[in-house]
Amino acid sequence: MRVVLAQPRGFCAGVVRAIDIVELALQKFGAPVYVRHEIVHNKHVVDGLKLKGARFVDELDEVPEGAVTIFSAHGVSRAVVDDAKSRGLPVLDATCPLVSKVHAQSRHYVRRGRTLVLIGHIGHPEVEGTVGQVQAPVHIVSTEADVASLEIPPDTPIAYVTQTTLSVDETRGVIAALRNRFADIVGPDTSDICYATQHRQTAVRELCRLVDVLLVVGASNSSNSNRLREIGVEEGVPSYLIADSKALDLDWVTGAKVVGLTAGASAPEELVLDVIAALRQIDEVEVTQMNGTQEDIVFRLPPELRDMPSGLAAVDA
Ligand code: SF4
């Protein structure tokens, strides 16, 4: 069996920064530190940080007075920021800078009197955080059909922003539908879909030309991982999203000559190596990696942690 690895795959700069923030906070301030929600959508990452002394909570009222508190990479609403402030909690913000950019765009558009349309998935924490950035109603759409059913007069000044981890192709269609429906509309040139999401989707589309089966390592609640599996399906390749090697059903790959393997932006590389080890139980495996974009983006750490020894706190993207 040949296994072809997608390039790029796995951790993005926002995830590396978020995990770094928790680890460096533990080193600098000592355990426990409190993290609101999963720091990134991956159980293995969360469990590893729990072992080092991080405590994960759903809401800030579970955080003891004065305890170091970290916001997850997906970002939070203004209400959560204000709540932390009123409780006097020392906060380290692990919101990905690319999500913060969408927050800033949203506030900017609403300040200028535009009605905000957010292209994204209802219930995802990033969407909840972005909606909670503005003091105005936000219309959430995820499909062209949703655009058609928006109850907004066509002459309304509109602005759109997008979740960072959507399907590049679907989002293009939704933006086109918005532009068709509303004459006075502004938004980012293409979308706010982040570099990491775009690179991983492009890589998977190319990978699908080479493989019989696609395996995507990632959590079921990881938006970008789900999109990677969907691209495999669109390309006509049987595609499976697996949390780790234990979730691999060997029947899926039995008889396959070439297996494509990728990982969502919050999935550690060890999990990819575990899947290769599991495949080796059924066959000899030759592993190659496709040519693809090399990423060298690194995000700056919050000021409170920049004195900590880390190879990551180097430059802004
Ligand atoms: Fe940031 Fe994109 Fe990574 Fe999300 S997927 S954390 S937006 S770089």
Side-chain angles (χ1 to χ4, degrees):
M1 178 190 291
R2 276 183 59 219
V3 171
V4 186
L5 298 170
Q7 171 59 33
R9 64 180 178 280
F11 279 3
C12 61
V15 163
V16 169
R17 174 178 180 271
I19 296 169
D20 237 27
I21 287 173
V22 180
E23 292 196 334
L24 292 173
L26 285 164
Q27 283 174 35
K28 181 162 181 172
F29 304 108
V33 298
Y34 288 77
V35 185
R36 185 182 177 278
H37 293 181
E38 288 189 319
I39 184 75
V40 299
H41 279 154
N42 192 279
K43 186 178 176 319
H44 293 264
V45 171
V46 168
D47 287 349
L49 292 171
K50 274 185 192 166
L51 287 176
K52 293 179 182 174
R55 295 204 183 145
F56 290 84
V57 296
D58 290 330
E59 294 308 335
L60 292 184
D61 57 13
E62 297 164 56
V63 179
E65 201 179 315
V68 172
T69 304
I70 300 172
F71 295 154
S72 79
H74 310 102
V76 297
S77 66
R78 293 301 310 169
V80 172
V81 174
D82 293 345
D83 188 18
K85 222 176 256 174
S86 71
R87 284 163 194 266
L89 295 173
V91 167
L92 293 167
D93 189 358
T95 303
C96 176
L98 300 181
V99 174
S100 299
K101 184 176 147 201
V102 179
H103 291 178
Q105 283 172 339
S106 304
R107 293 192 299 264
H108 167 87
Y109 290 137
V110 168
R111 269 200 304 273
R112 272 154 187 74
R114 290 188 174 270
T115 296
L116 193 65
V117 176
L118 168 55
I119 305 171
H121 296 290
I122 290 175
H124 190 279
E126 181 185 325
V127 167
E128 288 174 0
T130 302
V131 168
Q133 287 294 314
V134 295
Q135 307 257 337
V138 179
H139 301 265
I140 303 172
V141 296
S142 59
T143 62
E144 292 176 44
D146 292 343
V147 174
S149 53
L150 277 174
E151 290 183 1
I152 307 176
D155 56 349
T156 308
I158 299 286
Y160 67 85
V161 291
T162 80
Q163 192 179 333
T164 54
T165 50
L166 300 176
S167 153
V168 173
D169 293 327
E170 266 177 41
T171 305
R172 200 178 291 127
V174 176
I175 291 172
L178 282 169
R179 288 193 179 280
N180 276 341
R181 175 129 191 237
F182 300 101
D184 182 4
I185 183 164
V186 294
D189 281 349
T190 48
S191 71
D192 297 299
I193 297 174
C194 78
Y195 80 95
T197 300
Q198 296 195 30
H199 289 171
R200 281 153 190 69
Q201 289 182 13
T202 303
V204 159
R205 222 175 264 288
E206 279 177 31
L207 182 65
C208 284
R209 295 199 202 116
L210 312 172
V211 303
D212 306 313
V213 179
L214 174 69
L215 302 175
V216 179
V217 181
S220 59
N221 59 346
S222 158
S223 172
N224 79 88
S225 303
N226 277 289
R227 304 293 83 76
L228 294 176
R229 189 197 68 81
E230 287 166 9
I231 286 174
V233 173
E234 270 169 45
E235 295 292 323
V237 175
S239 303
Y240 304 94
L241 176 63
I242 51 174
D244 54 30
S245 61
K246 288 194 227 81
L248 174 65
D249 181 339
L250 293 176
D251 283 348
W252 298 336
V253 290
T254 301
K257 287 196 168 60
V258 189
V259 174
L261 185 53
T262 188
S266 43
E269 182 69 4
E270 302 98 85
L271 300 182
V272 173
L273 299 178
D274 287 350
V275 171
I276 295 171
L279 293 172
R280 288 206 157 107
Q281 288 171 13
I282 57 163
D283 204 349
E284 271 183 35
V285 172
E286 180 201 334
V287 181
T288 55
Q289 177 171 283
M290 62 183 280
N291 290 326
T293 309
Q294 297 292 333
E295 295 174 339
D296 55 5
I297 289 177
V298 178
F299 292 131
R300 191 188 281 269
L301 288 168
E304 300 87 337
L305 296 174
R306 285 188 198 149
D307 60 333
M308 296 297 286
S310 165
L312 300 170
V315 288
D316 280 322

mmCIF file of all heavy atoms in Angstrom, residues 203-226:
data_model
loop_
_atom_site.group_PDB
_atom_site.id
_atom_site.type_symbol
_atom_site.label_atom_id
_atom_site.label_comp_id
_atom_site.label_asym_id
_atom_site.label_seq_id
_atom_site.Cartn_x
_atom_site.Cartn_y
_atom_site.Cartn_z
ATOM 1 N N ALA A 203 -4.638 21.412 -1.006
ATOM 2 C CA ALA A 203 -3.802 20.210 -0.973
ATOM 3 C C ALA A 203 -4.656 18.952 -1.075
ATOM 4 O O ALA A 203 -4.325 18.012 -1.810
ATOM 5 C CB ALA A 203 -2.969 20.197 0.313
ATOM 6 N N VAL A 204 -5.778 18.939 -0.360
ATOM 7 C CA VAL A 204 -6.615 17.730 -0.376
ATOM 8 C C VAL A 204 -7.236 17.520 -1.753
ATOM 9 O O VAL A 204 -7.332 16.386 -2.241
ATOM 10 C CB VAL A 204 -7.686 17.807 0.738
ATOM 11 C CG1 VAL A 204 -8.844 16.878 0.453
ATOM 12 C CG2 VAL A 204 -7.053 17.437 2.050
ATOM 13 N N ARG A 205 -7.619 18.606 -2.386
ATOM 14 C CA ARG A 205 -8.200 18.457 -3.734
ATOM 15 C C ARG A 205 -7.169 17.817 -4.679
ATOM 16 O O ARG A 205 -7.485 16.918 -5.446
ATOM 17 C CB ARG A 205 -8.662 19.814 -4.258
ATOM 18 C CG ARG A 205 -9.998 19.741 -4.945
ATOM 19 C CD ARG A 205 -10.535 21.068 -5.363
ATOM 20 N NE ARG A 205 -11.466 21.662 -4.417
ATOM 21 C CZ ARG A 205 -12.705 21.244 -4.203
ATOM 22 N NH1 ARG A 205 -13.189 20.231 -4.876
ATOM 23 N NH2 ARG A 205 -13.489 21.840 -3.315
ATOM 24 N N GLU A 206 -5.929 18.267 -4.584
ATOM 25 C CA GLU A 206 -4.876 17.676 -5.437
ATOM 26 C C GLU A 206 -4.600 16.230 -5.039
ATOM 27 O O GLU A 206 -4.457 15.351 -5.880
ATOM 28 C CB GLU A 206 -3.579 18.480 -5.293
ATOM 29 C CG GLU A 206 -3.595 19.723 -6.153
ATOM 30 C CD GLU A 206 -2.347 20.554 -5.946
ATOM 31 O OE1 GLU A 206 -1.282 19.979 -5.654
ATOM 32 O OE2 GLU A 206 -2.464 21.789 -6.053
ATOM 33 N N LEU A 207 -4.569 16.009 -3.744
ATOM 34 C CA LEU A 207 -4.297 14.660 -3.237
ATOM 35 C C LEU A 207 -5.326 13.661 -3.763
ATOM 36 O O LEU A 207 -5.001 12.519 -4.091
ATOM 37 C CB LEU A 207 -4.321 14.707 -1.698
ATOM 38 C CG LEU A 207 -4.018 13.420 -0.941
ATOM 39 C CD1 LEU A 207 -2.579 12.978 -1.181
ATOM 40 C CD2 LEU A 207 -4.247 13.625 0.566
ATOM 41 N N CYS A 208 -6.578 14.109 -3.851
ATOM 42 C CA CYS A 208 -7.659 13.208 -4.259
ATOM 43 C C CYS A 208 -7.475 12.688 -5.687
ATOM 44 O O CYS A 208 -8.051 11.661 -6.053
ATOM 45 C CB CYS A 208 -9.012 13.898 -4.102
ATOM 46 S SG CYS A 208 -9.511 13.968 -2.392
ATOM 47 N N ARG A 209 -6.671 13.381 -6.492
ATOM 48 C CA ARG A 209 -6.417 12.873 -7.852
ATOM 49 C C ARG A 209 -5.541 11.625 -7.823
ATOM 50 O O ARG A 209 -5.441 10.895 -8.798
ATOM 51 C CB ARG A 209 -5.690 13.936 -8.689
ATOM 52 C CG ARG A 209 -6.535 15.144 -8.921
ATOM 53 C CD ARG A 209 -5.992 15.938 -10.104
ATOM 54 N NE ARG A 209 -6.476 17.292 -9.970
ATOM 55 C CZ ARG A 209 -5.722 18.363 -9.788
ATOM 56 N NH1 ARG A 209 -4.407 18.258 -9.804
ATOM 57 N NH2 ARG A 209 -6.260 19.543 -9.644
ATOM 58 N N LEU A 210 -4.850 11.407 -6.677
ATOM 59 C CA LEU A 210 -3.845 10.346 -6.621
ATOM 60 C C LEU A 210 -4.292 9.119 -5.835
ATOM 61 O O LEU A 210 -3.610 8.105 -5.849
ATOM 62 C CB LEU A 210 -2.565 10.878 -5.931
ATOM 63 C CG LEU A 210 -1.991 12.218 -6.385
ATOM 64 C CD1 LEU A 210 -0.869 12.652 -5.466
ATOM 65 C CD2 LEU A 210 -1.489 12.081 -7.825
ATOM 66 N N VAL A 211 -5.415 9.234 -5.092
ATOM 67 C CA VAL A 211 -5.662 8.204 -4.076
ATOM 68 C C VAL A 211 -6.993 7.494 -4.283
ATOM 69 O O VAL A 211 -7.890 7.988 -4.957
ATOM 70 C CB VAL A 211 -5.622 8.840 -2.655
ATOM 71 C CG1 VAL A 211 -4.294 9.534 -2.421
ATOM 72 C CG2 VAL A 211 -6.782 9.813 -2.420
ATOM 73 N N ASP A 212 -7.093 6.289 -3.654
ATOM 74 C CA ASP A 212 -8.341 5.512 -3.717
ATOM 75 C C ASP A 212 -9.239 5.814 -2.517
ATOM 76 O O ASP A 212 -10.458 5.639 -2.585
ATOM 77 C CB ASP A 212 -8.025 4.006 -3.697
ATOM 78 C CG ASP A 212 -7.052 3.626 -4.791
ATOM 79 O OD1 ASP A 212 -7.269 4.052 -5.935
ATOM 80 O OD2 ASP A 212 -6.057 2.930 -4.491
ATOM 81 N N VAL A 213 -8.620 6.180 -1.414
ATOM 82 C CA VAL A 213 -9.353 6.450 -0.174
ATOM 83 C C VAL A 213 -8.687 7.651 0.493
ATOM 84 O O VAL A 213 -7.459 7.793 0.415
ATOM 85 C CB VAL A 213 -9.256 5.243 0.813
ATOM 86 C CG1 VAL A 213 -10.002 5.542 2.115
ATOM 87 C CG2 VAL A 213 -9.768 3.978 0.197
ATOM 88 N N LEU A 214 -9.497 8.486 1.151
ATOM 89 C CA LEU A 214 -8.932 9.629 1.881
ATOM 90 C C LEU A 214 -9.247 9.490 3.373
ATOM 91 O O LEU A 214 -10.396 9.250 3.753
ATOM 92 C CB LEU A 214 -9.542 10.942 1.365
ATOM 93 C CG LEU A 214 -9.129 12.197 2.138
ATOM 94 C CD1 LEU A 214 -7.645 12.530 1.898
ATOM 95 C CD2 LEU A 214 -10.007 13.391 1.769
ATOM 96 N N LEU A 215 -8.217 9.631 4.192
ATOM 97 C CA LEU A 215 -8.401 9.659 5.650
ATOM 98 C C LEU A 215 -8.041 11.048 6.147
ATOM 99 O O LEU A 215 -6.963 11.564 5.831
ATOM 100 C CB LEU A 215 -7.501 8.620 6.327
ATOM 101 C CG LEU A 215 -7.695 7.161 5.895
ATOM 102 C CD1 LEU A 215 -6.652 6.269 6.563
ATOM 103 C CD2 LEU A 215 -9.116 6.674 6.215
ATOM 104 N N VAL A 216 -8.950 11.638 6.909
ATOM 105 C CA VAL A 216 -8.703 12.967 7.490
ATOM 106 C C VAL A 216 -8.643 12.790 8.999
ATOM 107 O O VAL A 216 -9.607 12.323 9.607
ATOM 108 C CB VAL A 216 -9.838 13.959 7.152
ATOM 109 C CG1 VAL A 216 -9.570 15.322 7.786
ATOM 110 C CG2 VAL A 216 -10.030 14.079 5.648
ATOM 111 N N VAL A 217 -7.516 13.115 9.593
ATOM 112 C CA VAL A 217 -7.408 13.026 11.051
ATOM 113 C C VAL A 217 -7.875 14.355 11.643
ATOM 114 O O VAL A 217 -7.343 15.419 11.305
ATOM 115 C CB VAL A 217 -5.945 12.741 11.480
ATOM 116 C CG1 VAL A 217 -5.858 12.624 12.994
ATOM 117 C CG2 VAL A 217 -5.436 11.473 10.810
ATOM 118 N N GLY A 218 -8.881 14.281 12.479
ATOM 119 C CA GLY A 218 -9.403 15.515 13.075
ATOM 120 C C GLY A 218 -10.620 15.199 13.917
ATOM 121 O O GLY A 218 -11.217 14.116 13.811
ATOM 122 N N ALA A 219 -11.000 16.146 14.741
ATOM 123 C CA ALA A 219 -12.137 15.944 15.639
ATOM 124 C C ALA A 219 -13.446 16.177 14.896
ATOM 125 O O ALA A 219 -13.505 16.971 13.958
ATOM 126 C CB ALA A 219 -12.031 16.914 16.818
ATOM 127 N N SER A 220 -14.506 15.504 15.359
ATOM 128 C CA SER A 220 -15.795 15.644 14.675
ATOM 129 C C SER A 220 -16.357 17.061 14.829
ATOM 130 O O SER A 220 -17.179 17.486 14.031
ATOM 131 C CB SER A 220 -16.792 14.610 15.197
ATOM 132 O OG SER A 220 -16.952 14.803 16.581
ATOM 133 N N ASN A 221 -15.910 17.805 15.849
ATOM 134 C CA ASN A 221 -16.396 19.186 16.004
ATOM 135 C C ASN A 221 -15.430 20.211 15.406
ATOM 136 O O ASN A 221 -15.576 21.409 15.627
ATOM 137 C CB ASN A 221 -16.674 19.522 17.486
ATOM 138 C CG ASN A 221 -15.447 19.377 18.365
ATOM 139 O OD1 ASN A 221 -14.451 18.787 17.964
ATOM 140 N ND2 ASN A 221 -15.527 19.905 19.574
ATOM 141 N N SER A 222 -14.445 19.732 14.652
ATOM 142 C CA SER A 222 -13.489 20.647 14.018
ATOM 143 C C SER A 222 -14.012 21.039 12.640
ATOM 144 O O SER A 222 -14.138 20.186 11.746
ATOM 145 C CB SER A 222 -12.125 19.957 13.904
ATOM 146 O OG SER A 222 -11.353 20.572 12.898
ATOM 147 N N SER A 223 -14.328 22.318 12.472
ATOM 148 C CA SER A 223 -14.928 22.779 11.217
ATOM 149 C C SER A 223 -14.003 22.512 10.038
ATOM 150 O O SER A 223 -14.408 21.931 9.028
ATOM 151 C CB SER A 223 -15.233 24.275 11.330
ATOM 152 O OG SER A 223 -15.630 24.800 10.089
ATOM 153 N N ASN A 224 -12.740 22.910 10.151
ATOM 154 C CA ASN A 224 -11.856 22.772 8.987
ATOM 155 C C ASN A 224 -11.617 21.307 8.629
ATOM 156 O O ASN A 224 -11.457 20.969 7.458
ATOM 157 C CB ASN A 224 -10.554 23.557 9.212
ATOM 158 C CG ASN A 224 -9.574 22.841 10.094
ATOM 159 O OD1 ASN A 224 -8.775 22.067 9.614
ATOM 160 N ND2 ASN A 224 -9.649 23.063 11.412
ATOM 161 N N SER A 225 -11.627 20.406 9.635
ATOM 162 C CA SER A 225 -11.435 18.980 9.351
ATOM 163 C C SER A 225 -12.632 18.418 8.590
ATOM 164 O O SER A 225 -12.479 17.631 7.643
ATOM 165 C CB SER A 225 -11.251 18.194 10.658
ATOM 166 O OG SER A 225 -10.176 18.706 11.400
ATOM 167 N N ASN A 226 -13.824 18.817 9.011
ATOM 168 C CA ASN A 226 -15.032 18.373 8.297
ATOM 169 C C ASN A 226 -15.032 18.819 6.845
ATOM 170 O O ASN A 226 -15.425 18.076 5.944
ATOM 171 C CB ASN A 226 -16.283 18.907 9.004
ATOM 172 C CG ASN A 226 -16.684 18.025 10.171
ATOM 173 O OD1 ASN A 226 -17.152 16.909 9.974
ATOM 174 N ND2 ASN A 226 -16.470 18.505 11.384
#
